[in-house]
């Protein structure tokens, strides 16, 4: 488990549940809307593209981990004026620190969908908690059809057998982009991010005694809430986690994001 989370109390129910994540892509004539729903997040991004340039970015957060997270909605508008290509999301380390990791990834995925001419689609991911041997099972469905199945042990791939031993961190993104077709690489990256976020299920991260962001100095500069003034002022939100082990809620329409 992540060393950054060990100061949270352990979740006594961990090992019996399933982490679930849904990412929805809705194409528009002038851009795309991308929405994320999982145990810890409910947010969306609307990208407008004109003449190959990002002309507008609007985001909204309904559920998020830190009290400072909504400030990243405004920060995301710094993407306006960039080329509407996936390479536009190659942020410098300083830029990444001033942005929400999840909002930027939604924007990157949305641009990739547009560039490839993909239709509106829904990705749903289910990942079991680790068992006593560190084994997890991941299933990724695309519009309800199986698209990716992993068996993992200690966050390394056991199955598919052709990728046995491939770790999910420490260069995974570069490996995926160099090894897999772009559309498939994006699915693998979405699955990898699910494994990363699901680490939080082992802990009670939204308890009644919120912790300050500054109590995790090793994460300074990691994202919007761990950078700038937010690092000293932000706290955990309480009661924001939704255990979706029993299944994701019914798919709703993806409204255009609003500020």
């Amino acid at each position: 488990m992540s060393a950054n989370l060990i100061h949270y109390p352990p979740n006594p129910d961990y090992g019996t549940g399933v982490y679930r994540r849904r990412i929805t892509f809705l194409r528009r004539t002038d851009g795309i809307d991308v929405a994320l729903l999982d145990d810890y997040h409910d947010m969306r991004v609307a990208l407008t593209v004109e003449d190959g340039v990002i002309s507008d970015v609007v985001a909204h957060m309904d559920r998020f981990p830190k009290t400072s997270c909504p400030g990243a909605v405004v920060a995301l508008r710094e993407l306006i004026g960039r080329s509407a290509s996936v390479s536009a999301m190659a942020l410098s380390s300083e830029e990444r620190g001033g942005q929400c990791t999840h909002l930027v990834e939604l924007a990157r995925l949305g641009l990739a969908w547009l560039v490839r001419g993909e239709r509106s689609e829904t990705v749903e991911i289910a990942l079991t908690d680790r068992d006593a041997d560190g084994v997890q099972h991941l299933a990724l469905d695309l519009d309800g059809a199986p698209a990716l199945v992993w068996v993992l042990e200690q966050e390394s791939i056991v199955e598919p057998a052709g990728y046995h031993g491939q770790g999910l961190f420490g260069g995974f993104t570069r490996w995926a982009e160099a090894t897999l077709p772009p559309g498939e690489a994006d699915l693998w990256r979405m699955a990898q991010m699910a494994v990363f976020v699901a680490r939080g299920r082992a802990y009670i991260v939204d308890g009644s005694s919120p912790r300050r962001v500054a109590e995790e100095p090793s994460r300074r500069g990691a994202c919007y809430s761990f950078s700038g003034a937010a690092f000293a002022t932000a706290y955990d939100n309480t009661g924001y986690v939704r255990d979706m082990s029993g299944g994701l809620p019914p798919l709703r329409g993806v409204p255009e994001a609003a500020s």
Side-chain angles (χ1 to χ4, degrees):
M1 300 301 173
S2 174
N4 293 322
L5 293 171
I6 59 175
H7 63 274
Y8 291 102
N11 177 4
D13 295 325
Y14 184 76
T16 65
V18 179
Y19 166 81
R20 299 183 188 274
R21 169 174 278 222
R22 175 188 287 148
I23 302 177
T24 309
F25 300 85
L26 180 63
R27 288 179 61 93
R28 307 190 316 269
T29 56
D30 60 350
I32 192 166
D33 295 351
V34 191
L36 166 66
L37 175 70
D38 70 1
D39 290 24
Y40 309 101
H41 309 92
D42 190 350
M43 57 181 63
R44 49 195 180 273
V45 174
L47 294 167
T48 301
V49 175
E50 297 180 13
D51 299 324
V53 173
I54 301 171
S55 60
D56 197 16
V57 182
V58 185
H60 186 79
M61 293 184 176
D62 289 325
R63 189 158 47 83
F64 41 89
K66 308 298 182 184
T67 56
S68 54
C69 288
V73 167
V74 176
L76 193 70
R77 293 183 63 79
E78 295 175 7
L79 300 179
I80 294 173
R82 292 185 181 231
S83 169
S85 66
V86 178
S87 61
M89 296 296 101
L91 305 183
S92 67
S93 58
E94 182 177 347
E95 288 174 319
R96 286 197 300 272
Q99 295 287 349
C100 167
T101 301
H102 303 288
L103 291 181
V104 170
E105 182 65 359
L106 291 182
R108 188 197 70 79
L109 289 168
L111 288 178
W113 249 246
L114 285 175
V115 168
R116 292 196 299 267
E118 305 279 7
R119 58 191 176 88
S120 298
E121 293 178 309
T122 298
V123 173
E124 293 190 349
I125 300 170
L127 174 68
T128 62
D129 292 343
R130 292 189 188 201
D131 67 15
D133 297 318
V135 174
Q136 295 173 279
H137 296 264
L138 181 144
L140 183 151
D141 291 352
L142 185 60
D143 285 344
L148 181 62
V149 176
W150 284 348
V151 177
L152 305 173
E153 185 175 348
Q154 305 299 343
E155 297 183 345
S156 290
I157 295 173
V158 176
E159 297 178 14
Y163 301 100
H164 187 280
Q166 175 61 48
L168 295 188
F169 302 98
F172 176 85
T173 295
R174 291 190 298 275
W175 171 85
E177 291 176 346
T179 306
L180 304 167
E184 188 176 352
D186 274 341
L187 297 181
W188 283 56
R189 287 185 61 174
M190 283 187 266
Q192 179 221 26
M193 181 59 76
V195 175
F196 174 74
V197 175
R199 291 172 174 176
R201 284 185 47 83
Y203 304 90
I204 299 174
V205 297
D206 65 338
S208 58
S209 299
R211 294 180 176 272
R212 295 175 56 205
V213 162
E215 292 181 54
E216 301 180 71
S218 64
R219 298 180 66 186
R220 187 162 193 164
C223 68
Y224 181 86
S225 289
F226 286 88
S227 302
F231 184 77
T233 60
Y235 284 79
D236 293 333
N237 275 324
T238 58
Y240 71 91
V241 176
R242 303 288 183 269
D243 187 336
M244 298 183 182
S245 293
L248 288 161
L251 184 64
R252 66 189 185 192
V254 185
E256 184 171 343
S259 58

